[in-house]
Amino acid sequence: MKTVKVFTLCLLGILASGFFGMASEFEAALVENVKIWDRAEYNSFVDLVRFKETWFCTFREGEHHVYGEDGRIRVIKSDNGADWVSAVLLAEDGVDLRDPKITVTPDGRLMLVIGGSVYDGKTLASRQPRVAFSGDGTSWTPLRPILEKGDWLWRVTWFGETAYGVSYLVEEPDWIVNLYKSSDGVEYELVTQLQVPDSPNETTLRFTPKGEMMALVRRESGSKTAWIGMSAKAPYTEWNWKDSGYQIGGPNFLILPNESIWASGRGYGPGKLRSTMLARITEDMFYPVLNLPSGKDTSYPGMVWHQGLLWMAYYSSHEGKACIYLAKIRLPE
């Protein structure tokens, strides 16, 4: 096991504007925030992509966060980011479809990675990820199971002609996170097991212009603070890690053209306070800079950099039931 480098980060003070301390040198301004979908009883677990000059947003529709029900995956689309219509609703009898992640393949198709859980009453019996592909966002291939039962491939990121993603397994004495790669998004090859302790699970991967792989990993035990990892070069088997100092649910992040790094997810405040937040990642620190209008059950944001603004789609129940929101954020130059 490679030596783990852990950096202890100090928490910032609580401000009246939110329960995170905000780093003034990395100010971000909320330009616009609107609700874009609320038709289901419970709308959640969001992702966002821009494809062929059209916005596509995907999320789960159900009645609850998770109670053994059959969740469905909705994809909506918009030409302007303001007016949205349904593109497709994906369902599978007896399966709770959840956590959809959408991306564009090297051959110019949309790809959905979806978790599929099967319940015995309200007890989880099994789970396995699925994939589907589309050339237009409306007509999709049948859902196809990938990897093995027990796997949860949470997000796929394409780099060149290769898709990379981290799948987590809930096992004892500690959960396992495995890095996989694929040339077609269907058949996957194990690269390495990531040496992250304390129940690691939801993981987003991104790539720097130099080809370095970066990871943001949620953890569910111990301090519960997310870990940030960096692997300098392929085959991405050697990793250095640092502690973000913050607990993050549904972690996502982008590396912008100017190489600044911006992360988002569910932030955890005092007591039961929750918020979907935006943070800046630097070599030394993790800085929360903005709380989006959100609360209670919230997070799982999709992030797209477009025409000088950060577009973030997320869900929140701060206005009642869980609905889908879209924010436009101006970042410092």
Side-chain angles (χ1 to χ4, degrees):
M1 173 178 174
K2 189 176 179 62
T3 302
V4 176
K5 298 181 180 179
V6 179
F7 296 81
T8 303
L9 304 183
C10 63
L11 296 179
L12 301 172
I14 299 173
L15 298 185
S17 60
F19 51 79
F20 285 119
M22 304 298 170
S24 59
E25 61 266 42
F26 296 133
E27 288 179 355
L30 182 62
V31 175
E32 181 180 80
N33 189 79
V34 295
K35 183 191 299 182
I36 61 172
W37 199 265
D38 64 356
R39 297 185 188 180
E41 183 64 27
Y42 182 89
N43 311 269
S44 61
F45 311 121
V46 192
D47 204 11
L48 181 70
V49 73
R50 187 163 174 83
F51 174 69
K52 296 182 177 179
E53 304 303 316
T54 302
W55 291 99
F56 289 89
C57 181
T58 185
F59 47 90
R60 176 184 180 269
E61 291 188 345
E63 297 180 3
H64 307 90
H65 188 98
V66 53
Y67 283 110
E69 63 189 44
D70 289 358
R72 304 166 301 279
I73 300 304
R74 176 83 64 182
V75 180
I76 60 177
K77 65 180 182 178
S78 173
D79 294 332
N80 56 16
D83 303 305
W84 294 82
V85 297
S86 178
V88 71
L89 180 66
L90 303 177
E92 190 173 339
D93 288 343
V95 180
D96 179 13
L97 299 177
R98 53 194 305 115
D99 280 4
K101 302 294 184 293
I102 192 166
T103 189
V104 180
T105 65
D107 61 359
R109 295 176 296 159
L110 287 174
M111 174 182 172
L112 275 171
V113 178
I114 301 168
S117 298
V118 177
Y119 286 85
D120 181 4
K122 293 185 178 181
T123 302
L124 180 64
S126 67
R127 68 182 189 184
Q128 188 172 2
R130 279 105 164 115
V131 294
F133 299 88
S134 175
D136 60 7
T138 300
S139 299
W140 290 82
T141 62
L143 292 173
R144 177 171 177 173
I146 57 173
L147 293 177
E148 304 293 335
K149 287 187 176 180
D151 273 302
W152 195 283
L153 184 64
W154 199 69
R155 186 191 300 276
V156 159
T157 301
W158 289 89
F159 183 61
E161 298 294 317
T162 304
Y164 291 90
V166 172
S167 178
Y168 68 94
L169 296 164
V170 178
E171 295 188 353
E172 298 297 337
D174 200 3
W175 300 1
I176 295 172
V177 278
N178 288 323
L179 173 63
Y180 287 93
K181 68 178 182 178
S182 172
S183 61
D184 60 6
V186 177
E187 301 295 334
Y188 288 82
E189 174 187 345
L190 177 65
V191 176
T192 190
Q193 180 179 328
L194 302 182
Q195 301 300 317
V196 179
D198 296 329
S199 304
N201 52 98
E202 300 165 349
T203 301
T204 290
L205 302 173
R206 302 295 181 197
F207 291 86
T208 71
K210 296 178 181 180
E212 302 160 309
M213 183 187 288
M214 187 174 175
L216 182 61
V217 184
R218 177 179 180 176
R219 301 190 304 147
E220 284 301 297
S221 60
S223 68
K224 297 185 178 181
T225 51
W227 272 24
I228 302 167
M230 183 70 75
S231 184
K233 59 183 179 180
Y236 306 116
T237 55
E238 300 293 326
W239 286 81
N240 289 324
W241 297 95
K242 63 180 179 180
D243 192 330
S244 73
Y246 288 85
Q247 185 179 357
I248 306 169
N252 195 4
F253 72 101
L254 289 182
I255 301 175
L256 301 191
N258 66 4
E259 299 188 35
S260 65
I261 304 171
W262 296 86
S264 62
R266 180 191 300 125
Y268 296 77
K272 295 184 178 180
L273 285 177
R274 302 288 185 269
S275 176
T276 292
M277 60 84 181
L278 177 69
R280 173 76 187 272
I281 299 176
T282 70
E283 183 177 353
D284 300 316
M285 296 288 285
F286 184 97
Y287 298 92
V289 297
L290 182 67
N291 288 325
L292 298 182
S294 57
K296 299 180 180 179
D297 190 3
T298 186
S299 182
Y300 290 73
M303 305 174 70
V304 174
W305 179 251
H306 178 63
Q307 293 184 343
L309 292 176
L310 175 62
W311 295 55
M312 278 181 57
Y314 65 101
Y315 83 94
S316 178
S317 62
H318 67 289
E319 294 183 310
K321 70 178 185 180
C323 302
I324 309 301
Y325 296 84
L326 179 64
K328 299 177 188 178
I329 302 167
R330 181 172 290 109
L331 302 178
E333 296 182 0

